[in-house]
Amino acid sequence: MFGLYDKEGILRFVDSDKDACIAYAELFELGSTNYCLMDLANDTTKIKDINLDQNLGGYNN
């Protein structure tokens, strides 16, 4: 199972086929620098370590 996350860390698409995830990214014109493709079935611990270049301080009021 693969998950496609955008650069803001939002899960955009899940499928068992890696090529389907890449096709989704192409359909919505997500460049390869704007998404992260994760293998969810084999190693879910990596999800906690994703750094998608978020600046959380910019959203605090």
Side-chain angles (χ1 to χ4, degrees):
M1 188 65 67
F2 293 92
L4 183 108
Y5 293 83
D6 66 16
K7 73 177 189 175
E8 295 170 1
I10 298 171
L11 180 62
R12 300 279 302 260
F13 188 74
V14 175
D15 198 287
S16 60
D17 183 15
K18 181 178 178 180
D19 293 331
C21 291
I22 294 170
Y24 175 92
E26 291 173 357
L27 177 67
F28 289 97
E29 299 178 355
L30 297 174
S32 62
T33 59
N34 292 325
Y35 70 87
C36 177
L37 187 61
M38 300 294 301
D39 186 350
L40 302 177
N42 293 327
D43 194 0
T44 57
T45 58
K46 287 185 179 179
I47 294 172
K48 295 178 184 175
D49 298 328
I50 296 174
N51 180 1
L52 294 173
D53 197 31
Q54 291 181 340
N55 184 1
L56 297 177
Y59 297 108
N60 293 337
N61 290 334

